[in-house]
Amino acid sequence: MTKADFLRARSPEAKAAREGEILAAAAHLATTRGVREVTMTAIAGEVGMHKSAMLRYFETREDIFLRLAGTAWHDWSTEVRSRLEAITPCPDACGRKWDETARSIAGTLARTLVARPLFCDLLAHTPLNLERNVSTDTVRTFKKGAIAEVANIGDTLCAITPLNADQARTVVTTATSMAGALWQMAAPGTQLRTFYETDPELSHSVVDVEPRLTDVLSALLTGYATRST
C-alpha cells in the first residue's frame, strides 16, 4: 500500500486536489502516448495509487478523459473567441475583403485547435468510446458543456460574418470533428507517421492538419456566407 492509498482524501478540498492530480497524470500520459494507449492502471501508477483506490474519484478511464475533454472545450472556446473578436467584421460575402476574412477565421479555428494536441486527440475518441463507459449523468454534464461552448463560439462568428446561428454552429462542429479525424490520420509522433514520410509511395498519406483544415473551413464559410447574402 502506498502513502497515497493510505492518506485517503476525506474533505471536499482534499478530494478535489486528488482528482486534480489524477487528471493531470492522465493528461501527461495521453499527451506523450496518445489517449488510446493510456489505461486506468497506468494513470494509477503515475499518481502512486492502486487502481481500486482511484475508483473513489472516477468511475472509469473514460470518465477521466471525458472530464479532460470538457475542460479542453472550455479552454479552447475562451481562446478562440478572444482571437475571433479581434477580426474586423465583414457583413457580406462580396469581394476580396470577405475572402481575407474567411481565410482569417478558418485559420484561427484551425491554428488554435492544432496548438492543442490533447484536445484534438480527445475530440476523436469522445464519440467513439469516451461517452460509452460512463454514467448518463456524466455524459449529460459533458454534452451540455460542449454544446454551450459551440453556441458561444457560434455567437462570436455571427457577430463578424453574415452567417446565421445554425450555420455558425455547424462551422464550429465541423472544425472540431475534422480536427479530431485529421489528427488521427496525421498520426503525429508515431512510427506510422515516420513510415509514411520515409516511403515515397505513401508520402501522399502524410496529413498536415492545419492547412487542410483551414482550406475546408474557408470553403464552408464562403458557401454559407454566399447563401446568406
Side-chain angles (χ1 to χ4, degrees):
M1 180 178 293
T2 68
K3 183 177 181 181
D5 293 325
F6 180 74
L7 297 177
R8 179 178 177 180
R10 297 186 182 280
S11 69
E13 295 78 10
K15 182 178 180 182
R18 187 60 51 79
E19 288 179 351
E21 294 171 3
I22 294 169
L23 291 168
H28 171 71
L29 291 172
T31 300
T32 55
R33 303 181 188 178
V35 172
R36 68 164 54 86
E37 301 297 332
V38 181
T39 64
M40 195 74 158
T41 300
I43 299 171
E46 183 78 4
V47 179
M49 301 174 66
H50 279 300
K51 178 181 175 181
S52 58
M54 283 185 50
L55 297 178
R56 301 187 186 113
Y57 306 96
F58 295 96
E59 51 189 304
T60 59
R61 72 177 286 278
E62 288 78 14
D63 186 16
I64 295 172
F65 284 119
L66 203 59
R67 181 82 68 86
L68 287 173
T71 299
W73 263 105
H74 173 75
D75 292 346
W76 176 64
S77 173
T78 300
E79 179 186 359
V80 78
R81 283 185 285 121
S82 175
R83 293 183 180 276
L84 289 172
E85 287 167 357
I87 297 175
T88 302
C90 187
D92 60 62
C94 299
R96 182 176 178 181
K97 182 180 179 182
W98 169 254
D99 292 339
E100 294 175 349
T101 299
R103 193 75 182 178
S104 181
I105 292 170
T108 297
L109 292 168
R111 185 165 51 255
T112 53
L113 283 166
V114 171
R116 299 172 179 272
L118 179 56
F119 186 34
C120 288
D121 202 7
L122 288 167
L123 285 170
H125 287 280
T126 296
L128 291 175
N129 50 63
L130 299 185
E131 295 178 355
R132 299 290 195 269
N133 194 25
V134 294
S135 68
T136 53
D137 285 342
T138 298
V139 174
R140 182 180 295 108
T141 298
F142 168 76
K143 282 292 194 183
K144 288 176 65 177
I147 290 170
E149 298 302 350
V150 170
N152 289 337
I153 301 170
D155 289 344
T156 303
L157 284 176
C158 286
I160 61 174
T161 70
L163 274 62
N164 63 40
D166 287 340
Q167 292 169 338
R169 292 173 187 178
T170 298
V171 169
V172 179
T173 56
T174 299
T176 52
S177 60
M178 287 203 67
L182 289 172
W183 195 260
Q184 302 304 310
M185 294 169 61
T190 65
Q191 291 183 346
L192 183 60
R193 175 74 176 216
T194 302
F195 172 59
Y196 287 156
E197 291 175 334
T198 55
D199 189 324
E201 293 183 343
L202 298 177
S203 60
H204 66 279
S205 299
V206 176
V207 176
D208 195 350
V209 179
E210 185 177 334
R212 181 81 62 89
L213 185 56
T214 298
D215 285 345
V216 171
L217 295 177
S218 293
L220 181 60
L221 283 160
T222 296
Y224 275 151
T226 301
R227 184 187 302 176
S228 297
T229 302

